Amino acid sequence: MELSRTDHEIINGDHGPAAADALQLVLKFAEAAGAPRLLTCAGAHVDGCLHHGQASLDFVERFVALKGRVKVPTTLNVGSVDLIHPELFIGEAQLGAAGRRLMQAHVELGCTPSFTCAPSQTLLRPKFGDQLAWAESNAIVFANSVIGARTNRYGDFIDLACALTGRVPDYGLHRSENRRARAIVEIQGLEDAGSDQAGGIAVAAGLFTGKQCGDSIAAITGLPASTSKDDLKALGAAAASSGSVAMFHAVGFTPEAPDLKTATGGADVPVVARLGPKEISGILASLSTVKDGAGLTAVALGTPHFSLSEFERLMPMLALAPFAVPVYVNTGRHEWERLVADGRAQRLESAGVTVVVDTCTYVTSIIRDLSGAVMTNSGKWAYYAPGNLGVDVAFGTLADTLVSAKAGRVVRA
């Protein structure tokens, strides 16, 4: 492997023992991946602050003991508890304490305490072409696809090692030739769908792409003209949940796909499916494990974390309050600070909406009552919650979820 002068300096301990130790991990990983060299890393997003056992904590505490500091701007993914609202956690006290310590230990290494699965919504949003070491599946897809930055699917431990060294292996999606579409998914007859429908269409396209394309990059054509960045975020989250997708091209929407020819690099690429209204409806129906009319015990929104524009859509719907069941919305600290500053946090609380920060309701114990079905507008939440929480799920639009929260049962707006 080609080593730069910086690499040799780190190995020799010139950047401290933590960086030297971490670089050994990066080099072993790069060797396994077949990377010929390391690249300068512009930023990292670390997923390892979600507690999965003592090994998670031991790994980070080692670097804290070595007085390590991250070398690049580094955001943190969701943790196991809401540090701003600790009273929301209803799990075992020992697990909560370990989760808090793990989150704090990452901050001691110089990471930004963002604790969000949507780091592109923070002030540390990367730029087109930036080489990154990002973990968290939906964040990776968004960075590659919607921003045009470059990262592979980095997992726990290697993401932090890259952050501590400022180096990332040169392979996979860091290279232009590996970022071209090798499959086409056509959406047909829905170009004029409105903004309330566009989110569901995006989720269905993502779920299908993940299941059918695996880790291949797909070019998706025919998305509604009303498709927003939040819809593309939902598409990527669904694709990463149902498959190993790390990147997609939404033709006419994403920066490396102004047209189909650019997305494919001019190659002859097969069309793997043509999805019309009937197919889209069928895919979305498969996300619900209960029928319309079923009773609800909660509504869960914000997976990935709600953006400020999504809160703008939600606020007028608070007129439906009081709600018959609790409504939980997951979001990041950046958004929470804005909500507090402009008074929207108080309005949400007055309407009976619980805003959850730093974590997510499908990975930790927050929702009080799981005896009945939970409704969501998130394809990712609907995909994972039955297995993670053992709960029935109903999927719908944002308007569907709030109307259903009012009724206490699954209804459609």
Side-chain angles (χ1 to χ4, degrees), residues 63-103:
F63 289 115
V64 171
L66 292 174
K67 302 188 185 322
R69 299 287 292 181
V70 295
K71 300 295 189 294
V72 296
T74 302
T75 47
L76 293 173
N77 203 51
V78 296
S80 299
V81 294
D82 182 340
L83 296 178
I84 294 176
H85 311 104
E87 70 281 1
L88 294 179
F89 181 73
I90 57 174
E92 296 180 14
Q94 184 177 357
L95 291 177
R100 282 191 292 273
R101 175 55 199 153
L102 182 62
M103 296 165 77

Side-chain angles (χ1 to χ4, degrees), residues 5-246:
R5 185 172 70 176
T6 298
D7 295 330
H8 283 294
E9 290 175 352
I10 296 173
I11 291 171
N12 292 336
D14 297 349
H15 295 241
D21 198 33
L23 190 63
Q24 295 298 331
L25 295 177
V26 176
L27 289 171
K28 288 293 185 183
F29 182 91
E31 180 182 357
R37 66 187 65 82
L38 303 180
L39 301 171
T40 299
C41 182
H45 180 66
V46 174
D47 190 36
C49 47
L50 181 63
H51 188 261
H52 289 300
Q54 188 61 35
S56 301
L57 192 53
D58 289 345
F59 183 80
V60 180
E61 293 283 23
R62 172 177 173 78
F63 289 115
V64 171
L66 292 174
K67 302 188 185 322
R69 299 287 292 181
V70 295
K71 300 295 189 294
V72 296
T74 302
T75 47
L76 293 173
N77 203 51
V78 296
S80 299
V81 294
D82 182 340
L83 296 178
I84 294 176
H85 311 104
E87 70 281 1
L88 294 179
F89 181 73
I90 57 174
E92 296 180 14
Q94 184 177 357
L95 291 177
R100 282 191 292 273
R101 175 55 199 153
L102 182 62
M103 296 165 77
Q104 292 162 352
H106 278 88
V107 176
E108 291 173 22
L109 294 175
C111 300
T112 299
S114 53
F115 301 120
T116 179
C117 59
S120 57
Q121 295 172 184
T122 71
L123 297 176
L124 295 179
R125 180 187 177 97
K127 304 186 300 297
F128 180 87
D130 279 352
Q131 302 285 4
L132 307 173
W134 272 25
E136 165 53 42
S137 60
N138 69 257
I140 292 162
V141 181
F142 193 92
N144 280 316
S145 310
V146 183
I147 297 175
R150 301 187 171 199
T151 181
N152 292 307
R153 286 177 66 116
Y154 292 108
D156 291 4
F157 304 157
I158 192 63
D159 50 2
L160 182 59
C162 290
L164 289 164
T165 59
R167 309 293 286 163
V168 66
D170 179 17
Y171 82 106
L173 294 177
H174 293 288
R175 298 186 157 204
S176 298
E177 64 269 22
N178 297 327
R179 297 174 65 83
R180 298 173 185 139
R182 290 293 174 260
I184 298 171
V185 176
E186 294 183 356
I187 310 297
Q188 297 181 327
L190 292 164
E191 292 86 351
D192 297 327
S195 58
D196 194 47
Q197 294 175 306
I201 295 167
V203 167
L207 288 170
F208 180 89
T209 299
K211 289 182 179 179
Q212 299 301 318
C213 298
D215 60 357
S216 296
I217 298 174
I220 302 170
T221 65
L223 288 170
S226 59
T227 300
S228 67
K229 289 288 198 321
D230 288 318
D231 297 331
L232 295 176
K233 178 180 68 173
L235 191 161
S241 300
S242 63
S244 301
V245 173

Side-chain angles (χ1 to χ4, degrees), residues 246-294:
M247 182 178 182
F248 66 88
H249 295 292
V251 176
F253 292 94
T254 51
E256 295 174 63
D259 51 56
L260 186 57
K261 182 177 180 180
T262 304
T264 62
D268 185 15
V269 175
V271 176
V272 297
R274 294 178 172 89
L275 305 177
K278 180 179 179 181
E279 291 77 17
I280 294 293
S281 295
I283 294 168
L284 294 181
S286 70
L287 283 173
S288 296
T289 61
V290 295
K291 296 180 179 180
D292 289 0

